[in-house]
Amino acid sequence: MTGRRDLVILLVPITIIAVAGLFFLIVRPGATAQPTVGLTASAALESPSGDSMGTVTFRQAAAGVLVMADMTGLAPGGHAFIVHEVGSCTPDFNAAGDHFNPEETEHGLIHSAWKRGESAGGHGGDLPNIYAASDGSARADFFTEGITLNSGPRHSVFDADGSAIIVHERPDAYGEEESDTGVRVACGVIKRTQELRLS
């Protein structure tokens, strides 16, 4: 009988430790949560004079975010298309701050660190350039892992001060040094819309 009691006394602390460890794994700060697939957001783009220039729609997927742009009123040719770190376009587009860069990485989708076998994914908010047709319209879809629509993770566009999408006058060269992309020609604050119902 004494042996069984000793076994119970030994197993109780082990069980408590195991449960506590499981609880720590579930709730520890910084733990990576699975994204909520189907979250949606949008940004209504405006020119510096307040004219409507289209919409950018965001949809959360399991491995990243689908970004869909439908724009008008652009000069024909390439334009840098970038998520910026502050959700504001007023009093002017400089209110949107710098590129969204939660991981504090170096700039550049094409980066020499790749040649050295190092990880360098560029800023989280950097997206490929968009290209406007002769009539000023542009339609583009991108998929990015650099942002999320879930609140909480470091790369969430819904952090304390929100985020905005900016279209620049000229295209980004994608290099380590930020190229001169000219003035900010369109800005839109990224706002939650609704959860997409997936059948």
Side-chain angles (χ1 to χ4, degrees), residues 36-198:
T36 305
V37 174
L39 291 177
T40 61
S42 67
L45 294 168
E46 292 186 349
S47 71
S49 60
D51 296 325
S52 175
M53 294 187 69
T55 304
V56 181
T57 304
F58 304 82
R59 289 186 177 177
Q60 181 71 53
V65 173
L66 180 62
V67 183
M68 296 165 284
D70 192 357
M71 300 190 60
T72 59
L74 293 171
H79 300 270
F81 185 64
I82 297 167
V83 176
H84 282 247
E85 62 186 350
V86 180
S88 179
C89 296
T90 57
D92 56 49
F93 294 172
N94 289 326
D98 206 345
H99 296 192
F100 181 71
N101 186 20
E103 303 301 329
E104 299 180 357
T105 58
E106 296 180 53
H107 181 270
L109 296 177
I110 301 172
H111 203 291
S112 63
W114 293 355
K115 297 177 183 177
R116 301 191 299 268
E118 299 170 10
S119 174
H123 297 165
D126 287 353
L127 296 169
N129 296 321
I130 59 172
Y131 289 85
S134 59
D135 66 354
S137 65
R139 179 76 180 87
D141 293 346
F142 305 114
F143 189 82
T144 178
E145 298 177 353
I147 63 173
T148 182
L149 303 186
N150 273 81
S151 298
R154 287 182 64 181
H155 65 307
S156 173
V157 295
F158 297 115
D159 56 10
D161 55 6
S163 305
I165 187 87
I166 294 280
V167 180
H168 293 256
E169 179 184 16
R170 292 190 287 271
D172 186 3
Y174 303 137
E176 295 175 58
E177 298 297 324
E178 291 190 35
S179 55
D180 180 8
T181 54
V183 299
R184 303 176 181 195
V185 298
C187 180
V189 176
I190 301 173
K191 299 179 179 180
R192 291 192 185 281
T193 49
Q194 62 184 6
E195 183 171 338
L196 179 67
R197 302 272 179 201
L198 299 177

Side-chain angles (χ1 to χ4, degrees), residues 15-28:
T15 303
I16 292 171
I17 291 170
V19 170
L22 179 61
F23 180 76
F24 176 76
L25 285 172
I26 293 171
V27 301
R28 74 182 188 278

